[in-house]
Amino acid sequence: MQKRLLTTIIDKWKLQLEKKPQWTENSVRLGAIARKKGMTALWDEWGARQPCTVLQLEDVQVVQIVENKKFVKPHLVSVQIGCSNKTKNISRPLLGHFKTAGVPPKWKLCDFHVTADAVLPVGSEIKAAHFVPGQYIDLQAPSTGKGFAGVMKRWGFKGMPASHGTSKTHRSAGSTGQNQSPGRVFKGKKMAGRMGGNNVTVSSKVLKIDNELNLIYVKGAVPGHKEQFVRIRDAVKKQGAACFPQDYLPPPFPTIAPENLESLPRELIAKSGGIDPFLAKES
Amino acid sequence: MSFSVIRFSSRFQKFYFSPEASPFTRGFAFRQGFRLSSDLGFVTRHLHKTPNNYTPNIEGKNLMSLITEEEIKRQPDDRTRLIDKNNKDCIKAGDVLMIETYINKGSNAVSTFAGVCISIRRQGIDTNLTLRNVILKVGIEQRFSIYSPMIKSIKILQRGEGFRRAKLFYLRDQPGKAFQIGGLVKQEIIKRLASNSGPPNN
């Protein structure tokens, strides 16, 4: 039998969490990974229809925390988050990685660079209530693949006339350059090729949060297909307090506390605010 | 705790598996030793108490259809029976409908549109139908979301007969007598006035 060393490992991030760090304007919160489930519609308080996408947070846990990571700004800590438990076909290196964390193996791992006060200890779960209804968020996901797309679909070229003598080139690009000078086709010339499947960032708003099923309803469309993993984080273009609605300041920091979560109703719906869009403008 | 099929070897690494994985499935790595234990300490799925003691049954159900069902159950009136295909009195393409909508949330003022239903798009909570009418020789189409809070009432003025398609977009080019519904609308208005100015309740 191996001798077991009795050592108490002090988790500094757990200690920090117990001290309850306060949210500041310069804090960068953790994001989450969600799965795109589909689209529906919601009606706001004015009766206006808002198309929305349903994203589900499925077993989102913190897997690894790395300080002073290479190529990351020194004041930021790299926190790796995993989403969706995976039960089979996990490589040995990955199994070891999850074992160190004490976390069930995950399908998808993503890094978020956060300020030191926003770090959660390894193994802590991120719930839908981490986000606040009405806040601005950024969604990143690979866009739907379109395969080898022609020049009209890919770049919006106008093609050629359907008749009047055009022979077999109705959808082609036409000319690709000049004559002997320069005598070559410039790099970056728009041509047919693979379209889609690249990372796309979309700025959007949270319309509704479902605490029971861990859902986030997001305004508009989200890149990619259903069951896709989507990276969610607070909007980069809205710094500090501008990201969140006034009613929900300060946001749950570093994430929603379990005692607050228990007292929340099942659904939190955002208010559109502003004036009634159906009122006739009196000029 | 007693263990049944256990081959616990200290040579192999212990690893963690999620609560729903059964150790006896084919995909499970039998080469490695494992131990059934609840003291592995990984975080389980339900960390918090159920708020409001409500747990929807999600066994074997698609999430989107579950959400749709719940939203439809919350509707104040039974509009669902108008579009439910299992209901023999449901709206079909070709029926002449009159829909009243509130013009804004602030007032009870209502705007009415009557027309032939040329399409029904069933999209769960976003189910919508398109009504077409010809008013002063101008063809007008309007799409209504059935579960919108701005819709006051949907009334069937006449059932369609002889329409053999789900979507009647061909009526845009070959209307025939389909849009001669002015008479139906007048009858409906007369009915309403009669019921409004009926005998007083005493």
Side-chain angles (χ1 to χ4, degrees):
Chain A
M1 284 289 276
Q2 285 172 338
K3 271 191 189 166
R4 288 187 191 186
L5 295 165
L6 288 170
T7 51
T8 48
I9 303 162
I10 303 164
D11 191 346
K12 79 173 203 185
W13 304 113
K14 263 194 191 149
L15 285 176
Q16 188 192 265
L17 186 68
E18 278 160 25
K19 285 180 197 159
K20 299 201 179 168
Q22 294 293 310
W23 177 80
T24 63
E25 293 260 327
N26 296 326
S27 307
V28 177
R29 292 196 318 157
L30 268 175
I33 312 172
R35 299 195 81 160
K36 176 177 171 179
K37 288 293 179 179
M39 287 189 77
T40 52
L42 288 175
W43 282 269
D44 64 6
E45 73 265 24
W46 303 121
R49 178 181 169 271
Q50 295 174 309
C52 62
T53 312
V54 177
L55 302 171
Q56 186 172 41
L57 265 63
E58 204 180 296
D59 305 314
V60 179
Q61 285 176 271
V62 174
V63 172
Q64 187 187 51
I65 300 166
V66 181
E67 290 176 275
N68 300 319
K69 193 170 185 183
K70 218 174 181 185
F71 308 122
V72 175
K73 286 182 183 155
H75 70 285
L76 295 176
V77 176
S78 168
V79 178
Q80 190 183 71
I81 287 177
C83 170
S84 291
N85 290 344
K86 190 174 183 183
T87 50
K88 60 178 199 169
N89 295 339
I90 308 147
S91 66
R92 266 240 178 116
L94 270 180
L95 276 175
H97 180 67
F98 290 114
K99 185 197 158 201
T100 330
V103 151
K106 303 283 181 190
W107 271 100
K108 176 86 178 165
L109 290 171
C110 257
D111 272 33
F112 289 92
H113 303 153
V114 299
T115 45
D117 52 356
V119 176
L120 285 170
V122 166
S124 34
E125 196 167 336
I126 297 177
K127 294 281 184 183
H130 176 82
F131 298 100
V132 141
Q135 77 163 94
Y136 293 97
I137 53 171
D138 285 344
L139 301 153
Q140 278 181 330
S143 56
T144 315
K146 310 280 182 194
F148 196 100
V151 114
M152 280 176 81
K153 187 185 187 79
R154 198 176 183 213
W155 300 113
F157 281 15
K158 291 179 78 179
M160 264 150 240
S163 68
H164 291 305
T166 315
S167 42
K168 300 201 278 186
T169 43
H170 306 282
R171 297 182 64 89
S172 77
S175 163
T176 54
Q178 295 79 40
N179 203 323
Q180 188 179 8
S181 164
R184 62 189 177 99
V185 177
F186 294 132
K187 273 190 185 289
K189 176 80 193 70
K190 291 182 182 174
M191 286 184 172
R194 183 167 285 188
M195 179 179 167
N198 40 12
N199 224 24
V200 170
T201 310
V202 157
S203 298
S204 192
K205 231 172 157 180
V206 173
L207 292 181
K208 181 169 148 182
I209 286 171
D210 186 321
N211 288 310
E212 188 51 44
L213 298 166
N214 252 340
L215 304 177
I216 302 175
Y217 290 68
V218 146
K219 188 174 177 186
V222 163
H225 52 79
K226 289 182 198 169
E227 306 297 330
Q228 167 131 283
F229 292 107
V230 178
R231 244 177 88 106
I232 316 176
R233 53 170 295 189
D234 302 335
V236 152
K237 289 185 181 175
K238 307 265 179 193
Q239 295 285 336
C243 188
F244 308 97
Q246 285 292 319
D247 305 338
Y248 289 97
L249 276 174
F253 191 79
T255 192
I256 186 104
E259 58 267 14
N260 295 344
L261 185 60
E262 282 177 16
S263 63
L264 282 177
R266 182 182 166 193
E267 287 180 345
L268 296 165
I269 303 173
K271 293 208 159 176
S272 291
I275 18 169
D276 189 348
F278 294 119
L279 282 175
K281 285 183 200 160
E282 288 163 53
S283 52
Chain B
M1 201 187 214
S2 64
F3 305 110
S4 42
V5 184
I6 301 295
R7 214 187 120 256
F8 180 64
S9 168
S10 59
R11 273 195 302 147
F12 298 107
Q13 269 189 329
K14 281 174 274 188
F15 62 90
Y16 301 105
F17 55 90
S18 86
E20 57 267 19
S22 162
F24 306 105
T25 53
R26 248 186 291 146
F28 208 71
F30 279 100
R31 280 178 293 134
Q32 306 185 18
F34 59 87
R35 176 175 59 161
L36 287 168
S37 169
S38 57
D39 60 348
L40 287 173
F42 51 76
V43 180
T44 52
R45 189 184 288 262
H46 298 287
L47 273 186
H48 65 281
K49 261 196 305 204
T50 313
N52 305 328
N53 293 324
Y54 175 73
T55 318
N57 183 20
I58 53 170
E59 287 295 316
K61 265 194 192 163
N62 182 17
L63 177 77
M64 294 309 292
S65 35
L66 173 73
I67 295 170
T68 310
E69 267 178 41
E70 288 188 338
E71 278 293 332
I72 289 175
K73 273 187 200 161
R74 277 179 215 182
Q75 296 301 315
D77 54 14
D78 52 349
R79 285 175 198 173
T80 320
R81 62 171 173 75
L82 286 174
I83 45 156
D84 185 16
K85 270 187 175 174
N86 297 329
N87 177 21
K88 61 177 170 61
D89 296 324
C90 73
I91 298 173
K92 292 195 175 86
D95 294 348
V96 179
L97 305 176
M98 188 155 100
I99 294 185
E100 287 184 320
T101 50
Y102 296 113
I103 54 169
N104 59 56
K105 278 270 180 176
S107 69
N108 273 340
V110 146
S111 135
T112 318
F113 188 82
V116 176
C117 174
I118 58 170
S119 102
I120 303 171
R121 280 189 79 217
R122 291 170 214 280
Q123 312 265 307
I125 195 68
D126 199 20
T127 304
N128 48 68
L129 42 85
T130 315
L131 298 188
R132 184 184 170 84
N133 199 357
V134 177
I135 299 169
L136 299 173
K137 294 187 188 174
V138 176
I140 296 177
E141 280 179 23
Q142 194 161 356
R143 177 172 281 187
F144 297 94
S145 280
I146 292 167
Y147 294 108
S148 161
M150 301 299 262
I151 290 196
K152 185 181 178 189
S153 67
I154 304 173
K155 180 111 198 256
I156 305 176
L157 301 179
Q158 189 185 69
R159 294 281 176 190
E161 269 181 44
F163 292 107
R164 304 199 61 170
R165 313 233 100 62
K167 305 280 188 288
L168 311 176
F169 299 131
Y170 68 88
L171 289 178
R172 291 168 182 162
D173 301 319
Q174 310 158 30
K177 292 185 192 164
F179 301 110
Q180 291 171 2
I181 57 173
L184 292 167
V185 180
K186 265 190 196 162
Q187 277 178 24
E188 183 60 33
I189 292 171
I190 290 167
K191 256 195 231 173
R192 292 221 177 153
L193 286 174
S195 64
N196 280 350
S197 62
N201 297 329
N202 240 31

